[in-house]
């Protein structure tokens, strides 16, 4: 049996994207990888309960109390101990330093709730992204999964999925539709794609 790529999932909140990854693992949509740890940048978030229910080792770090440097050092230590070789940012709300990112070249992916290069970059996260899309008046938005480099939302695109904007949309309604129709689909699909590529690159 071929090996699976260990996946570390970094979260900050409710963990619906984490849940999509867990569900995809259970249904066999993710077969080339396996979630080996979940790390939260905030204690007490529901994502940790989802990990607990799924029997996945999980770690609650307090980024604000620790400071960015200690948070990243602890995160790197947990990842190394878990044997993870792919880091998936799933509703992870802080920006990682270039120093951290450069230690995992081509091994960190993120889901952003818009069609990059629209409505992305520093400060564009959560509801702000959807507020900006509605304010601009675009008729189509969506989600993007991309590799993470030192430019926020600037790494190579892996997958995108478009979502129509409807009359009467609010940022909250749009956020839900983008998650359901796009993020929860392309994040697991991208994780599988990247894990399969990692395995393939190792076949001699
Ligand atoms: C939402 O803001 C979503 O648009 C963004 O992450 C958040 C969802 O977080 N990409 P979670 O996965 O439910 O924690």
């Amino acid at each position: 049996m071929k090996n699976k790529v260990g996946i570390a999932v970094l979260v900050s909140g409710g963990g619906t994207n984490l849940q999509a990854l867990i569900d995809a693992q259970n249904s066999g949509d993710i077969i080339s990888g396996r979630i080996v740890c979940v790390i939260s940048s905030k204690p007490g978030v529901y994502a940790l309960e989802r990990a607990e229910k799924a029997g996945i080792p999980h770690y609650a770090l307090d980024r604000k109390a620790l400071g960015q440097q200690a948070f990243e050092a602890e995160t790197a230590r947990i990842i190394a101990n878990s044997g993870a070789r792919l880091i998936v940012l799933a509703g992870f709300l802080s920006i990682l330093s270039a120093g951290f990112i450069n230690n995992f070249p081509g091994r960190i992916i993120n889901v952003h709730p818009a069609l990059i290069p629209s409505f992305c970059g520093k400060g564009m996260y959560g509801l702000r992204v959807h507020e900006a899309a509605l304010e601009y008046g675009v008729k189509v938005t969506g989600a993007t999964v991309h590799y993470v480099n030192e430019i926020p939302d600037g790494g190579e695109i892996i997958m995108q999925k478009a979502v129509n904007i409807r009359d009467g949309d609010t940022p909250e309604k749009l956020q839900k539709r983008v998650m359901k129709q796009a993020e929860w689909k392309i994040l697991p699909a991208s994780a599988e794609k990247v894990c399969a590529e990692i395995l393939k690159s190792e076949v001699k």
Side-chain angles (χ1 to χ4, degrees):
M1 209 176 81
K2 71 177 179 179
N3 284 330
K4 290 181 191 263
V5 174
I7 302 171
V9 184
L10 271 54
V11 298
S12 304
T16 61
N17 280 295
L18 166 66
Q19 191 64 52
L21 291 163
I22 294 170
D23 293 347
Q25 183 169 286
N26 291 339
S27 67
D29 287 335
I30 294 179
I31 50 165
S32 306
R34 187 181 157 71
I35 305 168
V36 293
C37 67
V38 170
I39 304 169
S40 170
S41 61
K42 276 186 210 162
V45 296
Y46 191 63
L48 293 163
E49 266 181 60
R50 296 182 192 270
E52 168 77 26
K53 282 186 191 146
I56 300 165
H58 48 89
Y59 305 85
L61 305 182
D62 190 337
R63 189 187 66 87
K64 279 201 183 136
L66 287 168
Q68 188 68 16
Q69 215 181 344
F71 167 74
E72 289 185 356
E74 186 59 10
T75 300
R77 194 189 62 78
I78 296 166
I79 290 170
N81 286 344
S82 73
R85 290 188 296 150
L86 176 68
I87 302 169
V88 177
L89 310 184
F92 179 70
L93 297 181
S94 37
I95 292 186
L96 294 164
S97 72
F100 182 95
I101 291 165
N102 292 336
N103 281 331
F104 302 96
R107 290 289 188 269
I108 312 178
I109 69 172
N110 178 50
V111 61
H112 179 73
L115 295 174
I116 290 174
S118 292
F119 313 118
C120 65
K122 206 164 184 286
M124 274 290 177
Y125 59 85
L127 276 179
R128 293 189 205 178
V129 179
H130 305 292
E131 277 161 14
L134 291 175
E135 224 166 78
Y136 198 95
V138 291
K139 302 300 174 202
V140 176
T141 184
T144 304
V145 178
H146 62 94
Y147 286 105
V148 173
N149 64 12
E150 62 290 348
I151 303 160
D153 297 322
E156 188 192 332
I157 290 172
I158 301 166
M159 282 187 197
Q160 292 189 300
K161 192 164 189 295
V163 173
N164 286 331
I165 289 177
R166 295 181 190 158
D167 288 347
D169 262 348
T170 60
E172 291 79 7
K173 280 189 195 169
L174 186 56
Q175 181 184 49
K176 280 201 188 106
R177 190 175 324 114
V178 168
M179 290 201 284
K180 198 169 167 203
Q181 292 185 4
E183 293 179 54
W184 301 342
K185 295 199 161 90
I186 63 172
L187 185 60
S190 298
E192 171 57 24
K193 183 171 188 271
V194 172
C195 288
E197 280 168 9
I198 293 172
L199 292 180
K200 208 172 146 200
S201 73
E202 291 169 348
V203 177
K204 296 264 152 62

